[in-house]
Amino acid sequence: MAVIEWDKSKFTVNVELFDAHHFKLVEIINKLHDANSFNYTQEIIFEIIDELVDYTVFHFSTEEKALEKYGYSDFNNHKKFHQGFVDIVGKFKQKIERGDAILWTSIEMISYLRDWLLTHILLEDKKYSNLLKDKAVE
Ligand SMILES: [Fe+2]
């Protein structure tokens, strides 16, 4: 069972590109949850975590470029939220590389990723919705 059910009407930020990015992040977290539930090998779990790290960095940088380009007033705070998440995911990654895989794949960890992402979309990303909704965002 998916740990996050995507609900576009609830999660939309009215920017197609970022809705697609957020959907992809939800898919990766769901995949990590499945890997945990079905006892996938550590190698597969490493691959999913790498995918999460890479895609998160890619998504945040795309979002930040658009926010900067269109002069988002809360840009610096938004960037700090992103950096905080990247730092935490990076620390988790180090832990799993040191062999602390149980911690990484625990349901608490997956819950943390889910809660952070959904809270960020609903409370922070939605704040840029009015600014970006009719703009050319690439
Ligand atoms: Fe964001």
Side-chain angles (χ1 to χ4, degrees):
M1 204 187 93
V3 74
I4 307 175
E5 293 292 343
W6 178 256
D7 179 348
K8 188 163 179 188
S9 62
K10 189 172 161 194
F11 298 132
T12 187
V13 292
N14 297 308
V15 179
E16 279 302 321
L17 181 69
F18 295 151
D19 283 347
H21 285 185
H22 292 150
F23 177 73
K24 174 79 180 169
L25 285 169
V26 163
E27 274 193 331
I28 299 171
I29 294 171
N30 280 335
K31 204 159 46 164
L32 190 60
H33 176 68
D34 282 350
N36 183 50
S37 306
F38 301 118
N39 289 318
Y40 286 16
T41 63
Q42 212 174 45
E43 198 186 341
I44 292 176
I45 289 170
F46 281 171
E47 276 173 22
I48 302 170
I49 290 165
D50 279 341
E51 189 186 359
L52 177 67
V53 171
D54 292 349
Y55 199 81
T56 300
V57 169
F58 158 75
H59 164 59
F60 286 169
S61 81
T62 312
E63 218 179 58
E64 286 164 15
K65 265 181 224 151
L67 293 175
E68 199 169 25
K69 181 176 173 188
Y70 293 108
Y72 182 54
S73 58
D74 206 23
F75 176 74
N76 287 333
N77 266 332
H78 202 104
K79 210 173 162 176
K80 271 183 210 155
F81 284 126
H82 286 172
Q83 193 54 50
F85 185 72
V86 170
D87 289 348
I88 283 176
V89 175
K91 278 184 192 136
F92 295 153
K93 196 183 160 196
Q94 282 171 3
K95 278 182 181 155
I96 197 171
E97 279 166 353
R98 286 201 301 262
D100 202 357
I102 294 162
L103 178 72
W104 228 117
T105 57
S106 68
I107 192 64
E108 287 82 9
M109 186 51 47
I110 291 163
S111 299
Y112 174 85
L113 297 173
R114 176 194 62 198
D115 293 348
W116 190 94
L117 180 66
L118 298 186
T119 305
H120 183 75
I121 293 171
L122 294 172
L123 297 183
E124 294 305 320
D125 289 343
K126 275 181 181 276
K127 287 188 197 164
Y128 66 59
S129 189
N130 279 340
L131 176 74
L132 295 188
K133 69 180 173 192
D134 298 317
K135 306 283 196 306
V137 172
E138 295 155 15

